Amino acid sequence: MKAPASIRARLALAAAAVLALFLAVAGFVLQRAHADSVVAAHHGRLQATVYLLLGAAEVDAAGQLQMPAALAEPRLSQPGSGLYAAIRTPGGQLLWRSASAPPGLPFPGVEAVGQWALGEEEGGGRRFLSASYEVNWLAAGDRTVPLVLSVLEDESALGRELAAFERTLWGGLAAAALLLLLSQALLVRWSLAPLERVAAEIGRIDAGEQARVEGQYPPEIEQLTQRLNALVERERARQKRWREAVSFLAHSLKTPLAVLRATQDDPAQLREAVVREVARMDDIVQHQLARAAAATEAATAPPLALRAVAERIAASLRKVHAERGLVLEIEADAKLAWPLQEGDAFEILGNLMDNACKWARQRVRTTLQREAGGLRIRVEDDGPGFSDTEAVRRLHVRGDERVPGHGVGLAVVDELVGAQGGTLSLGRGALGGARVDVLLPG
């Protein structure tokens, strides 16, 4: 599979394509506008030459056209000068031709008296700009003589002028394009420099030369570096938690194993010790696995509908404690969703609600609500409450040895909440018994 082009290459190609298209369109428009302007200027000069002919022409009493031997425009007297003039009748009869004009030139006619005919003509393998004008000349005796005055100019001079402009125009545009592309390359290099610095810092983090991204970056990249730092810190916390879990397991399992070894020669005690110590080891393993898995950040989890989770747990607990007739209340918006792993949600709510059911006399109330600081989970019961709020947080410590359990649930919840940056607090609730508050940050 072909690797995608780099951002720098994409920007360079996009800029080159847009610039080429823009300069091509701009060059074509400028070239066309200049050509139209030059042609209009040449036609203007031809019209001025026609007025020159009108000023020099005379018609005698016999109706004959009289022209001076020399005109104010010297090119009309120079053969092959490129400027040619003629005066004809509307029927095409030649009355006068400038000394510069060879025979057979394509002098145009006009359609009506007093109207200009401006255009281009072709003849003898050459092209000409043309201007013609028809007048009714009033001669002696109120005699009217119709005349058509025409001027031609060879387009070779016009072509040279246009070609010179085109060379200058496209040369200038090419130089401007080169300069703009060079500027674009420098701007792209300068703009992408922060990303290159970030990549270099990540490389140093990977090599163990630094602990986090430390540089100052533009706001658009600052969010990226903050999330990278958070990711690095989460990964380090996860690794630390797994190492601690393994170390704790190795240390905690020594005592149960020592008890089993001590009773292996006494069959009567061995059976009881195996049941007791295996249950204890199972609790230890479950706690440490939950503690290690608590490194999963809520920020990476999809939003989870929490009321549905609480309802499922409550339904299960009603069956478990059916003989006691407990009332389990859920106060939460059905649309409330929070970025929390489903397993963590069941672990937190399940342990808190199960503990409350064990201690409750009749009622357990679970409240889920958003607050300014994040999500609050509150579980209350109408039981006796906590006698020692600090001790019950620790592993294998129970509020009352007469109540079934292993003293693991609240410790696991405390670890899970702490791993996600939250807080767990214990106290007396509105129902008169224990209250457990969990606040998960937004």
Side-chain angles (χ1 to χ4, degrees):
M1 182 177 174
K2 185 178 179 181
S6 66
I7 295 178
R8 181 172 297 168
R10 292 183 182 186
L11 289 175
L13 289 175
V18 172
L19 184 61
L21 179 61
F22 172 78
L23 292 181
V25 173
F28 175 79
V29 172
L30 288 174
Q31 180 179 329
R32 187 71 263 166
H34 177 262
D36 292 342
S37 175
V38 170
V39 170
H42 277 257
H43 275 135
R45 287 198 293 269
L46 294 181
Q47 288 177 295
T49 304
V50 171
Y51 286 128
L52 174 66
L53 295 178
L54 281 173
E58 292 290 343
V59 177
D60 59 19
Q64 298 297 316
L65 175 67
Q66 301 294 325
M67 294 293 292
L71 296 171
E73 173 56 69
R75 287 195 299 164
L76 293 176
S77 302
Q78 300 173 7
S81 66
L83 183 65
Y84 316 109
I87 300 177
R88 298 168 299 150
T89 65
Q93 180 184 358
L94 182 64
L95 301 178
W96 175 84
R97 182 178 67 199
S98 67
S100 63
L105 289 177
F107 288 103
V110 292
E111 296 182 356
V113 176
Q115 290 187 358
W116 285 98
L118 305 176
E120 297 182 15
E121 303 295 331
E122 186 173 356
R126 299 160 64 189
R127 294 185 61 83
F128 304 90
L129 290 176
S130 65
S132 292
Y133 189 70
E134 182 176 348
V135 297
N136 285 327
W137 196 276
L138 184 61
D142 294 332
R143 182 180 181 180
T144 301
V145 179
L147 300 176
V148 177
L149 299 89
S150 301
V151 180
L152 296 179
E153 184 180 22
D154 196 324
E155 282 193 357
S156 58
L158 173 65
R160 289 192 297 271
E161 183 178 350
L162 293 178
F165 176 79
E166 290 174 9
R167 288 193 299 271
T168 303
L169 172 65
W170 292 109
L173 289 177
L178 184 61
L179 180 62
L180 288 173
L181 287 176
L182 180 60
S183 302
Q184 176 73 16
L186 294 176
L187 286 174
V188 169
R189 184 186 181 111
W190 175 71
S191 300
L192 295 181
L195 288 177
E196 294 178 351
R197 297 205 308 271
V198 170
E201 287 207 61
I202 293 174
R204 290 194 292 272
I205 292 173
D206 187 50
E209 298 176 4
Q210 65 185 61
R212 63 199 310 273
V213 179
E214 299 172 348
Q216 298 294 322
Y217 295 98
E220 296 83 359
I221 302 179
E222 188 68 27
Q223 297 182 12
L224 172 64
T225 59
Q226 290 175 356
R227 291 185 178 273
L228 282 174
N229 284 334
L231 182 62
V232 169
E233 291 171 3
R234 286 199 300 269
E235 183 59 27
R236 287 192 178 130
R238 184 180 294 110
Q239 292 176 358
K240 179 182 178 182
R241 189 167 281 104
W242 281 110
R243 287 195 299 268
E244 290 176 351
V246 172
S247 175
F248 188 90
L249 279 174
H251 178 76
S252 300
L253 293 178
K254 289 181 180 179
T255 301
L257 291 174
V259 172
L260 293 177
R261 281 195 295 269
T263 58
Q264 62 183 346
D265 295 331
D266 188 347
Q269 296 183 9
L270 180 60
R271 180 179 179 83
E272 180 182 352
V274 167
V275 173
R276 183 180 66 254
E277 298 304 326
V278 166
R280 182 180 180 188
M281 286 189 288
D282 182 59
D283 290 339
I284 293 172
V285 170
Q286 289 184 21
H287 172 70
Q288 290 306 313
L289 289 177
R291 183 173 180 271
T296 302
E297 282 287 335
T300 62
L304 178 67
L306 294 180
R307 183 181 179 92
V309 174
E311 293 285 5
R312 289 169 60 183
I313 296 172
S316 299
L317 292 174
R318 289 188 185 99
K319 296 177 182 179
V320 173
H321 301 282
E323 73 283 353
R324 297 174 56 198
L326 293 179
V327 177
L328 277 70
E329 304 170 4
I330 307 294
E331 294 184 0
D333 189 341
K335 297 181 180 180
L336 175 63
W338 196 261
L340 188 64
Q341 293 289 344
E342 188 175 35
D344 292 348
F346 273 98
E347 193 76 29
I348 294 172
L349 287 171
N351 277 301
L352 295 181
M353 294 171 68
D354 183 43
N355 282 345
C357 287
K358 291 176 181 177
W359 291 89
R361 295 187 177 93
Q362 187 177 5
R363 294 177 62 193
V364 173
R365 182 166 62 200
T366 301
T367 305
L368 306 170
Q369 62 183 19
R370 288 180 180 270
E371 293 187 357
L375 172 70
R376 181 171 298 280
I377 301 174
R378 173 172 293 175
V379 179
E380 302 170 283
D381 62 65
D382 59 353
F386 296 113
S387 58
D388 188 343
T389 58
E390 291 302 322
V392 294
R393 292 172 179 261
R394 297 195 294 270
L395 185 65
H396 299 301
V397 175
R398 287 179 285 158
D400 190 340
E401 295 295 329
R402 296 170 295 178
V403 179
H406 302 99
V408 175
L410 200 56
V412 170
V413 172
D414 199 19
E415 290 284 353
L416 285 169
V417 172
Q420 297 182 44
T423 59
L424 183 146
S425 60
L426 308 176
R428 184 165 295 276
L431 298 182
R435 172 185 54 79
V436 180
D437 267 335
V438 170
L439 181 61
L440 298 179

